[in-house]
Amino acid sequence: MVDVIPAPVRTAAPGDGWFELGPGTGLAAGAGTERTERWLRATLTAATGLPLAPGDPGRGDVVRLSLDPAVTRDLGAEGYRLDVTPDGAHLAGGGPAGLFWGAQTLRQLLGPDAFRRAPLPGRRWRLPTVRVRDAPRFRWRGLMLDVARHFMPKEGVLRYLDLMAAHKLNVFHFHLTDDQGWRVEIRRYPKLTEIGSWRSRTKFGHRASSLWEEKPHGGHYTQDDIREIVAYAAERHITVVPEIDVPGHSQAAIAAYPELGNTDVVDTTALAVWDDWGISPHVLAPTDDTLRFYEGVFEEVLEMFPADAADFSAFVHVGGDECRKDQWRRSPAAQARIRELGLAGEDELQAWFVGHFDRWLSARGRRLIGWDEILEGGLAAGAAVSSWRGYRGGITAARAGHDVVMCPEQQVYLDHRQDAGADEPVPIGYVRTLEDVYRFEPVPPELTADQARHVLGTQANVWTEVLEESARVDYQTFPRLAALAEVAWSALPAPGERDFADFERRMAVHYRRLDALGVAYRPPTGPRPWQRRPGVPGRPIDGPPPNR
């Protein structure tokens, strides 16, 4: 059996034989395969100790890499074909990305020890004889990681890019700013990181908790860190989509530059970076000066995150969610701006704010994407939507002809609890088990075929309010991200017809891969003693989650 995750479209085993790799096995790379060749040689040489020297594609005992227009025609640019015989292996991609995804399958077929960084003694390295034909269901297969609430150092981000690549995920949604921290260097506004990247203390647990970690928390990525992350991702055919929140979730920015806030109703000079969770009431003032400030921010962001027509890198996420409008209602300046623009109220004021950056980004060849609140007051003309408050926002957007990424909170927010057990650490929200995620369907049945084409794909979201360290991020993310990866990649039947028992069987092997990678996942039997957080309150919700 081929215990690959995510499951390939088609596999066939022509026999029970093996292709055994040894010191003389070569790696023959055709034109256009250089990126996968570099990755595959570096990764497998480290794990196996085999040199995998450049080989002759015309002889046996070789792993051959090529790009093949026939694969492109049959399976698309992200598709691949893998043929293993006792004499060798041939991996052909429809394009460079397809070849790379095929290399992930080849690595899995070598066994869990192929995921280690150094060879173990006495291991044999062999591939089963197999024919694989594979291609993804969705173009957008993503993971959103929140580094604003709890900062993840650069090395941790690079590690997550490797974990994404191992699961054939190709979009990294990088949540860089929020009320609790600003994580990206903007050179013309240095106080965004000098002040905005640090908070004095941190709530431990859900916002109702009385526990605090009484020490500063923070950190940020320099512009060169960001360039390194983007380049590292690109080597793995992963697109990084940055998120800079406007006009809500902006207290850290206002703490750094008080003039950005609604100074006519709040003493913004007294604000600090927020040390609590929830939704801050402090939002950006709808002034021309604020627009010019954020245009300056986005100018530097666009330089750090260059666009490529071949992927989703033209997208810039502007948040747009959970913008409390109480200060705008009380602000004479905000009310004057509403009258000046002829708007119906505060919802339309937010739509005007988002629409400004939609036009600004469009003029520079970029596309705006935001959380589904950007639908309120009128959706910006060229905007795409991340549908998080259930399916409804995505349905509305797709029916209106806007592209959608489906990431409904009650289905694929991986910071939500995985079990109802009392030992589950800091339990948040409804229970979302591995099977629940596996049965998630990104395309709502209410959409017609034409409307469904606007569903670019899906992503899992990992918010880090209660995830104070990388081991906690691992615990909440895995193994459920493996299930989401299969939902995003594989041609699965309807949710009720999916073979979860087979997925569990393949996961038994995949856990060993995660072990080799050092992932602190949640075991199927429940949390290990050191993964628990006794006495740290969460916010569990009982009953089945809404599915709408």
Side-chain angles (χ1 to χ4, degrees), residues 112-113 116 507-517 521:
D113 288 335
R116 298 189 181 276
M507 276 302 303
V509 178
H510 200 64
Y511 285 121
R512 293 170 56 204
R513 299 182 189 121
L514 298 178
D515 286 332
L517 289 166
Y521 59 84

Side-chain angles (χ1 to χ4, degrees), residues 182-185 189-198 220:
W182 184 286
R183 304 296 178 213
V184 57
E185 176 189 24
Y189 304 127
K191 288 190 285 187
L192 286 172
T193 48
E194 290 171 3
I195 296 172
S197 70
W198 288 91
H220 74 276

Side-chain angles (χ1 to χ4, degrees), residues 388 390-391 407-421 424-442 459-461 475-484 487 495 498 500 503 511 522-524 539-548:
W388 77 274
Y391 289 93
C407 48
E409 176 183 13
Q410 310 305 349
Q411 279 69 41
V412 290
Y413 270 32
L414 300 188
D415 48 303
H416 287 201
R417 60 186 174 145
Q418 304 183 62
D419 190 85
E424 207 63 28
V426 201
I428 299 295
Y430 296 98
V431 172
R432 290 286 85 189
T433 65
L434 181 66
E435 182 172 1
D436 290 330
V437 175
Y438 190 68
R439 298 192 187 280
F440 163 61
E441 172 50 49
Q459 69 182 32
N461 294 344
Y475 178 91
Q476 293 298 138
T477 304
F478 289 97
R480 291 182 295 178
L481 189 64
L484 186 279
V487 168
R498 294 176 187 173
F500 181 68
F503 180 74
Y511 285 121
R522 182 191 188 275
R539 184 182 59 89
I541 304 175
D542 293 328
N547 190 27
R548 62 181 188 274

Side-chain angles (χ1 to χ4, degrees), residues 62-343:
V62 68
V63 176
R64 180 183 168 203
L65 306 179
S66 68
L67 300 182
D68 188 340
V71 177
T72 311
R73 289 193 300 270
D74 296 342
L75 298 167
E78 284 196 282
Y80 66 91
R81 181 182 68 224
L82 175 61
D83 293 290
V84 181
T85 71
D87 297 323
H90 181 196
L91 174 60
L99 186 75
F100 184 74
W101 305 132
Q104 304 305 318
T105 295
L106 188 150
R107 186 190 190 190
Q108 288 196 21
L109 292 174
L110 277 172
D113 288 335
F115 289 77
R116 298 189 181 276
R117 297 184 184 180
L120 301 180
R123 295 299 190 270
R124 296 174 65 186
W125 299 103
R126 56 186 193 172
L127 292 166
T129 53
V130 69
R131 290 195 297 266
V132 180
R133 304 293 182 267
D134 201 10
R137 178 186 179 192
F138 291 110
R139 291 189 299 133
W140 185 300
R141 308 179 302 279
L143 171 68
M144 189 231 66
L145 182 62
D146 166 27
V147 296
R149 274 49 177 270
H150 278 100
F151 178 65
M152 179 177 284
K154 181 191 69 178
E155 287 302 317
V157 174
L158 299 180
R159 172 176 174 264
Y160 259 81
L161 291 171
D162 281 330
L163 291 171
M164 288 179 64
H167 292 83
K168 300 185 176 74
L169 298 172
N170 70 336
V171 179
F172 179 55
H173 176 170
F174 205 8
H175 184 80
L176 289 164
T177 73
D178 218 296
D179 299 307
Q180 295 87 0
W182 184 286
R183 304 296 178 213
V184 57
E185 176 189 24
I186 303 298
R187 288 174 178 165
R188 75 186 69 185
Y189 304 127
K191 288 190 285 187
L192 286 172
T193 48
E194 290 171 3
I195 296 172
S197 70
W198 288 91
R199 59 179 180 263
S200 60
R201 63 176 187 167
T202 299
K203 176 66 66 75
F204 197 49
H206 180 253
R207 61 180 176 266
S209 170
S210 61
L211 304 175
W212 295 88
E213 185 178 44
E214 297 286 353
K215 67 178 184 181
H217 177 86
H220 74 276
Y221 309 103
T222 68
Q223 293 203 0
D224 283 343
D225 289 337
I226 293 292
R227 293 186 185 96
E228 179 184 356
I229 288 167
V230 171
Y232 193 87
E235 279 288 302
R236 288 147 183 80
H237 295 276
I238 296 171
T239 300
V240 184
V241 175
E243 180 178 351
I244 306 294
D245 267 303
V246 297
H249 286 292
S250 297
Q251 184 167 331
I254 297 168
Y257 290 91
E259 64 271 23
L260 295 174
N262 295 283
T263 57
D264 54 349
V265 293
V266 178
D267 179 10
T268 55
T269 63
L271 285 182
V273 177
W274 210 22
D275 59 9
D276 208 343
W277 312 131
I279 307 172
S280 170
H282 299 288
V283 302
L284 297 174
T287 66
D288 290 340
D289 286 344
T290 300
L291 297 181
R292 299 293 89 76
F293 182 99
Y294 272 85
E295 287 172 3
V297 169
F298 283 118
E299 283 176 3
E300 296 194 24
V301 167
L302 297 193
E303 194 276 328
M304 285 182 275
F305 296 89
D308 186 331
D311 55 33
F312 291 114
S313 55
F315 279 104
V316 177
H317 207 292
V318 301
D321 63 315
E322 297 179 326
C323 178
R324 288 188 168 174
K325 301 177 177 65
D326 294 343
Q327 290 182 2
W328 287 354
R329 293 186 183 97
R330 293 165 28 223
S331 164
Q335 292 301 312
R337 174 53 53 107
I338 289 172
R339 291 191 296 273
E340 171 195 338
L341 296 170
L343 304 177

Side-chain angles (χ1 to χ4, degrees), residues 355-494:
H356 173 86
F357 287 103
D358 178 53
R359 294 185 295 275
W360 189 92
L361 289 167
S362 295
R364 288 154 182 82
R366 299 304 189 97
R367 288 191 65 188
L368 179 145
I369 184 169
W371 303 109
D372 57 53
E373 283 93 332
I374 67 174
L375 291 161
E376 297 167 3
L379 184 60
V385 169
S386 300
S387 186
W388 77 274
R389 295 181 301 177
Y391 289 93
R392 284 175 295 180
I395 292 169
T396 300
R399 285 174 173 169
H402 295 273
D403 288 338
V404 178
V405 176
M406 296 302 302
C407 48
E409 176 183 13
Q410 310 305 349
Q411 279 69 41
V412 290
Y413 270 32
L414 300 188
D415 48 303
H416 287 201
R417 60 186 174 145
Q418 304 183 62
D419 190 85
D423 289 335
E424 207 63 28
V426 201
I428 299 295
Y430 296 98
V431 172
R432 290 286 85 189
T433 65
L434 181 66
E435 182 172 1
D436 290 330
V437 175
Y438 190 68
R439 298 192 187 280
F440 163 61
E441 172 50 49
V443 179
E446 295 93 331
L447 297 181
T448 67
D450 285 342
Q451 293 165 351
R453 292 189 184 96
H454 286 290
V455 179
L456 299 175
T458 184
Q459 69 182 32
N461 294 344
V462 181
W463 301 100
T464 62
E465 288 95 332
V466 300
L467 311 183
E468 75 281 0
E469 60 183 5
S470 63
R472 283 283 293 125
V473 177
D474 280 7
Y475 178 91
Q476 293 298 138
T477 304
F478 289 97
R480 291 182 295 178
L481 189 64
L484 186 279
E486 185 146 313
V487 168
W489 178 278
S490 303
L492 298 177

